Amino acid sequence: KKKKKIRNIRPRLKNIDRSQVHCQPVTVNNVTVVITEFLPKSVASSSQNST
Amino acid sequence: GASKPPTKPESIGDNSSNTSAVSDEITEVELVFKPHPAMQASTSEKAAAAAASLRTDHIQTRFIKTSGNATVDHLKKYLGMRLALDAQQGGQAEDEGPYHKCTISIRPHGEFMTIPDGLTLGQICDKYWRINKPLEVYYHWKKWSTN
């Protein structure tokens, strides 16, 4: 018997730093989900002016 | 005489196929959690925010991953928790109240559409967000609007 498998692939975020995350469990109506927040990739700042 | 049917010994570990099926059902959703354009930084609104004791530096875009069964209520609560946490770290006592009154909306085809609280992110993706880019969700506090 063959089982049909539905693949649910959602588009992923780009330009985020997946190495730095903040995880926070949130409970509403006895349902707990973990929300993970990513930081945006930092733009490399090459020059720093001092006056 | 009556004969009892032989009882079958229960096989331990026979349900190994069940355990692998569970993980397929919960899918993850990655989304961009943005402030509604109405919240962004016009001078009069900043003044209104100051009057309402809201900090404008918390209004930022957040990049979030969560499970598909998370609801709009989860997002609202998370937003309130994060803003309160940030405020504590900044040495300010923040009132969570206004953030619970926020409205969550999406803009799938150019027009903003308010999302009901009980809807899950999986349902939002299936019903409204049928485009091939990460889900974009906008938050907006009612207290922010001056009308």
Side-chain angles (χ1 to χ4, degrees):
Chain A
K1 191 179 178 182
K2 267 192 176 178
K3 191 178 177 184
K4 198 175 181 182
K5 189 173 181 182
I6 299 170
R7 298 189 68 189
N8 200 354
I9 301 173
R10 300 194 191 283
R12 302 184 78 200
L13 294 170
K14 294 174 182 175
N15 297 324
I16 56 169
D17 186 356
R18 292 182 184 271
S19 63
Q20 292 186 17
V21 298
H22 176 271
C23 294
Q24 175 80 52
V26 180
T27 304
V28 176
N29 294 332
N30 292 327
V31 179
T32 301
V33 300
V34 176
I35 294 183
T36 305
E37 182 169 340
F38 304 102
L39 293 176
K41 270 184 185 170
S42 56
V43 180
S45 56
S46 54
S47 64
Q48 191 172 3
N49 294 333
S50 59
T51 53
Chain B
S3 61
K4 276 187 179 179
T7 54
K8 243 186 175 180
E10 286 183 15
S11 57
I12 300 170
D14 196 26
N15 58 350
S16 57
S17 58
N18 284 345
T19 53
S20 61
V22 174
S23 59
D24 278 350
E25 294 189 8
I26 300 173
T27 56
E28 289 184 334
V29 177
E30 296 189 356
L31 60 113
V32 186
F33 203 23
K34 293 179 173 180
H36 192 284
M39 302 236 319
Q40 286 174 340
S42 75
T43 309
S44 60
E45 282 171 346
K46 276 191 173 180
S53 302
L54 298 172
R55 294 178 62 194
T56 54
D57 54 342
H58 286 165
I59 299 170
Q60 59 178 291
T61 300
R62 295 174 184 273
F63 301 91
I64 284 174
K65 178 179 78 173
T66 186
S67 59
N69 63 345
T71 63
V72 171
D73 274 329
H74 284 102
L75 289 182
K76 286 185 182 182
K77 188 169 181 181
Y78 174 74
L79 184 64
M81 290 164 76
R82 287 291 294 156
L83 294 172
L85 186 67
D86 289 349
Q88 280 176 5
Q89 288 174 350
Q92 292 192 13
E94 187 80 7
D95 179 20
E96 273 191 63
Y99 308 118
H100 291 301
K101 295 172 189 168
C102 73
T103 303
I104 303 294
S105 55
I106 59 172
R107 192 168 59 168
H109 304 294
E111 288 188 11
F112 285 98
M113 180 189 300
T114 303
I115 301 297
D117 289 348
L119 225 54
T120 67
L121 296 181
Q123 289 170 330
I124 293 170
C125 288
D126 290 341
K127 288 185 180 178
Y128 304 110
W129 197 262
R130 294 185 173 181
I131 49 182
N132 189 26
K133 65 176 187 176
L135 179 62
E136 292 177 2
V137 177
Y138 295 85
Y139 57 90
H140 177 233
W141 298 309
K142 286 177 182 173
K143 201 168 183 174
W144 203 268
S145 54
T146 52
N147 51 2

